[in-house]
Amino acid sequence: MGGGSAIKQYERRFGQGGSVYEKESTIHDERCEKYEAKTIRVFGEYEIRKTEKEEYEVLKKGELIGKFSKAIIEEDRFLFPLSRGTLLEVSEEGRREITTSRKAEICGLIASDGGLYSTREHPDYEVHFTSKHGELIERYNDLFKEVYGIEPHVYHKRKRDGREYFEARTYDRGVYFDLLDLGIKPKAFKFHVPFKHLDKDGLKAYLRGFFSGDGNISKSEEGFSIKISSTCEEGIKELWEAFKLLGFHPNPIRVSKREPPLHDYYVFSIPEEEYVRFAEEIGTYHPGRAKRLESIRLKYKSEEEKREGREG
Amino acid sequence: MKRSSEDKMSHATVWMWGDDLEAVRVNSEKYVSKRWRETIKECVIGITGRERDEGTIFYLTAYSSNPEGIGDLAERLLNVALNLEGDVKVDFVTILLSDHMNSGKELYRDDLEHVEEEYERNKRILTERFSMDPRVKTKSGGREIIVVPEMSLKCELDSDYASKIITDVVDFDFQRVKNFIHSLSKNLIQEGLAKNIVGYKLFIDTERLEIENISIHKDKVYVRLATLLS
């Protein structure tokens, strides 16, 4: 993401990032006042220090790579909030930039029912999301406001039969490139799961966003079926992989092959045994699916409890 | 031409989800006027979509040898698809220009009674085959086994507006497939795009179907069969 050294990138973003470093724990701040920094955690070649001013410093092989006023401290990692819904994660695996859950959900929504559009001829830097559900548009806009501080403009459209649908759009260069750099939608036909930038919570949020768009819960004689579909083969394989990474056991991907000008369709479903977990950990903001999912959760949860009661 | 892409087979996607509705006509006309040559015999308009409340996949294909009317035809087909009941998503409208008359090969002339017999016949074959599968045997424990194959039902429609229109619906639920294809055909006829239904053909690929999922519901074992991605 972006060019230059990591320290330069952080400086550009936040006006933060260290510019002064001394090997000893005595450092000078901008006003040249001496202060102490104490090592609070070491992850391999990374060291995290806390200064007297309650700031955090991240050092790699002794070189300061960032200075942060806030940190989220977890057992196995430190997270430092960056701008635009990004966190710097430092752990035993090293460091990486991950998205917040909110941004990950935006990415999932865009991958299913949205897009990024800009060309040399039409440098619109358009980021859009389309839905017939006002609730989903509202969710997208709330997330967008929190992550980017921008409220997408909502175009209220009407089909010929009078039914309505909505399009939320922004035309911001920074937002466009921020999302493009994550590789979520390299082409209009394709999407990718930005694995490199997602932790487990991010992965769940991404899947929630995608499922809110291109998921479905159908009901037939055999009961409910929770499915995810797409015309993008690479994308659906990655979604399947994402569920596996989270410990789900998705059913194999099925395909409806068609010759041009028609497109193939790829679908996979979640096994019945994992419906409750799906409802509790992934969920959806799609109003119809949320309602069905809740009734599934209640039904299967009570069945589970009965079973456990019998076994217990 | 916004968001139009092309490949060597001379087909281009002229509209996709998120595009303005008006773009389909403009892009189709631009593509046809740029690419139509003397050797071209037929234009094929393909619509790929899904009804997301139930997860039914559908395809619409229209054939025409008249380059003048392609933009209008594409727009009207897209409107029929988008105006179907439920949470409909149309992924793509794609145009293919061909040196052959492809429509001649698309003949689906069975009546619905025959389709229903075919469905039952295929189900019997599949039940016999998959009841012996060890994964099914393990789960069944003497319960009744119901095979649920994924199927595609195609319907051929006569049209004054195009040479031919084909609807194609994919799902596991036979009743849903029939209902959906009925709505699609009815809307095409109401919109004046099609005159009447010529016939149907059911496709259940008994040789290639594999187990997608096995579930137990109300003392029955449901074995869902589909063509899996290799």
Side-chain angles (χ1 to χ4, degrees):
Chain A
M1 284 176 81
S5 67
I7 197 161
K8 285 256 165 58
Q9 287 183 43
Y10 299 137
E11 276 173 353
R12 274 205 304 272
R13 282 185 170 177
F14 325 108
Q16 291 192 41
S19 55
V20 179
Y21 169 70
E22 287 177 16
K23 270 224 157 180
E24 303 78 39
S25 24
T26 306
I27 318 182
H28 291 79
D29 75 357
E30 284 153 4
R31 292 182 300 274
C32 288
E33 287 167 356
K34 268 193 171 183
Y35 63 87
E36 297 293 316
K38 191 177 153 194
T39 300
I40 53 170
R41 191 73 188 261
V42 176
F43 293 109
E45 56 190 9
Y46 290 92
E47 183 186 349
I48 293 158
R49 302 208 280 197
K50 197 170 183 183
T51 69
E52 277 180 343
K53 292 178 148 187
E54 300 287 302
E55 284 178 328
Y56 297 90
E57 294 170 346
V58 180
L59 296 93
K60 185 187 178 188
K61 290 181 183 165
E63 190 186 339
L64 185 68
I65 60 161
K67 201 167 163 186
F68 306 92
S69 53
K70 279 182 195 163
I72 301 159
I73 302 166
E74 293 177 3
E75 200 182 324
D76 55 350
R77 63 178 184 170
F78 271 58
L79 296 167
F80 302 101
L82 306 178
S83 67
R84 292 180 167 162
T86 307
L87 301 163
L88 177 72
E89 181 194 70
V90 183
S91 68
E92 287 295 344
E93 276 80 51
R95 78 162 196 265
R96 60 171 180 162
E97 284 186 11
I98 59 169
T99 68
T100 59
S101 293
R102 286 179 167 79
K103 187 170 179 176
E105 196 176 322
I106 294 178
C107 294
L109 286 165
I110 291 173
S112 63
D113 276 350
L116 311 173
Y117 179 72
S118 199
T119 62
R120 200 168 285 177
E121 300 80 43
H122 304 277
D124 296 340
Y125 307 114
E126 181 188 308
V127 176
H128 65 264
F129 174 68
T130 307
S131 179
K132 71 171 221 177
H133 299 286
E135 295 91 333
L136 269 186
I137 292 287
E138 212 172 290
R139 174 73 182 163
Y140 175 81
N141 273 19
D142 286 348
L143 294 167
F144 220 90
K145 267 187 278 178
E146 280 187 51
V147 171
Y148 293 111
I150 296 172
E151 181 160 11
H153 186 77
V154 178
Y155 296 84
H156 190 182
K157 301 204 167 183
R158 203 175 283 273
K159 287 192 238 170
R160 237 176 28 179
D161 68 344
R163 278 183 284 171
E164 298 168 323
Y165 69 102
F166 307 92
E167 273 180 18
R169 289 188 194 172
T170 55
Y171 297 93
D172 184 280
R173 193 174 186 274
V175 172
Y176 173 83
F177 280 112
D178 185 54
L179 291 167
L180 191 75
D181 286 348
L182 288 173
I184 57 166
K185 202 107 182 180
K187 286 181 187 170
F189 291 78
K190 291 187 172 177
F191 71 89
H192 287 294
V193 180
F195 285 110
K196 274 197 312 194
H197 301 284
L198 299 174
D199 62 1
K200 281 200 170 180
D201 287 340
L203 212 46
K204 287 174 188 173
Y206 179 91
L207 293 172
R208 182 181 315 121
F210 196 93
F211 182 77
S212 297
D214 268 338
N216 97 279
I217 304 173
S218 60
K219 192 174 185 299
S220 56
E221 190 194 338
E222 55 184 300
F224 289 104
S225 178
I226 298 176
K227 290 176 276 195
I228 291 190
S229 330
S230 178
T231 51
C232 175
E233 183 178 351
E234 291 154 86
I236 202 94
K237 282 178 177 170
E238 289 178 14
L239 290 171
W240 190 87
E241 200 54 49
F243 275 102
K244 293 284 273 188
L245 279 173
L246 291 172
F248 284 87
H249 302 84
N251 287 317
I253 300 169
R254 58 188 168 88
V255 58
S256 292
K257 282 262 179 211
R258 291 294 181 274
E259 291 295 320
L262 302 175
H263 294 252
D264 300 341
Y265 243 115
Y266 304 89
V267 187
F268 68 84
S269 59
I270 302 296
E272 200 177 18
E273 303 78 46
E274 290 170 355
Y275 285 176
V276 173
R277 203 182 145 208
F278 180 91
E280 289 174 351
E281 293 182 24
I282 309 293
T284 178
Y285 281 89
H286 182 286
R289 276 169 232 157
K291 208 171 153 190
R292 267 194 173 174
L293 205 50
E294 182 53 14
S295 60
I296 289 173
R297 195 186 68 81
L298 292 172
K299 176 179 178 275
Y300 283 86
K301 193 97 183 161
S302 76
E303 278 174 16
E304 253 176 37
E305 280 163 6
K306 269 185 215 163
R307 231 182 356 254
E308 278 165 14
R310 275 200 302 270
E311 281 161 14
Chain B
M1 194 193 286
K2 198 180 174 186
R3 289 188 194 123
S4 167
S5 72
E6 222 180 290
D7 70 14
K8 290 169 198 158
M9 287 185 65
S10 190
H11 64 266
T13 292
V14 290
W15 188 91
M16 63 175 65
W17 186 247
D19 283 352
D20 289 332
L21 292 178
E22 304 76 44
V24 69
R25 177 192 282 264
V26 176
N27 289 344
S28 305
E29 285 170 355
K30 273 189 187 173
Y31 181 70
V32 169
S33 72
K34 201 173 151 191
R35 294 285 168 163
W36 195 282
R37 302 181 311 269
E38 272 185 18
T39 53
I40 301 232
K41 298 265 192 323
E42 201 168 49
C43 171
V44 192
I45 302 170
I47 291 190
T48 302
R50 196 166 16 119
E51 193 286 301
R52 296 190 285 189
D53 287 335
E54 299 301 335
T56 307
I57 296 164
F58 68 90
Y59 299 97
L60 263 172
T61 318
Y63 301 84
S64 174
S65 299
N66 171 22
E68 304 302 319
I70 300 301
D72 187 51
L73 180 57
E75 186 179 38
R76 292 180 67 184
L77 285 168
L78 175 62
N79 270 311
V80 165
L82 288 173
N83 291 335
L84 286 163
E85 279 301 315
D87 185 0
V88 172
K89 176 179 184 179
V90 170
D91 290 273
F92 304 109
V93 180
T94 303
I95 286 183
L96 180 138
L97 300 178
S98 172
D99 293 344
H100 308 281
M101 290 293 285
N102 297 287
S103 55
K105 293 179 223 155
E106 305 285 322
L107 300 170
Y108 309 115
R109 305 279 166 92
D110 295 341
D111 58 28
L112 267 182
E113 202 179 323
H114 185 262
V115 165
E116 277 169 27
E117 283 166 11
E118 271 292 285
Y119 174 69
E120 293 303 331
R121 192 179 66 84
N122 280 307
K123 264 190 88 165
R124 278 196 299 275
I125 294 169
L126 291 165
T127 307
E128 212 166 285
R129 190 174 131 206
F130 284 96
S131 297
M132 307 314 289
D133 188 286
R135 286 167 292 175
V136 178
K137 272 185 167 177
T138 313
K139 271 213 167 181
S140 70
R143 295 180 185 93
E144 187 187 350
I145 295 163
I146 313 276
V147 293
V148 188
E150 187 177 50
M151 71 202 81
S152 152
L153 181 60
K154 292 190 184 185
C155 173
E156 180 184 344
L157 294 114
D158 252 345
S159 171
D160 285 336
Y161 210 72
S163 314
K164 182 182 280 189
I165 297 176
I166 305 292
T167 57
D168 175 1
V169 175
V170 181
D171 204 318
F172 286 97
D173 188 316
F174 186 46
Q175 195 55 46
R176 199 147 64 210
V177 166
K178 284 193 294 180
N179 292 345
F180 201 91
I181 213 150
H182 175 71
S183 312
L184 250 178
S185 309
K186 195 181 85 185
N187 290 5
L188 285 166
I189 292 168
Q190 264 175 6
E191 286 296 316
L193 283 168
K195 269 195 310 189
N196 57 281
I197 291 168
V198 178
Y200 302 89
K201 188 160 179 63
L202 180 73
F203 293 85
I204 297 179
D205 195 346
T206 50
E207 292 307 309
R208 290 191 60 203
L209 287 176
E210 293 177 73
I211 296 174
E212 190 242 0
N213 186 45
I214 306 171
S215 62
I216 300 165
H217 190 67
K218 291 183 182 164
D219 289 332
K220 285 178 185 165
V221 178
Y222 291 88
V223 183
R224 226 165 27 189
L225 306 170
T227 307
L228 304 182
L229 186 65
S230 48

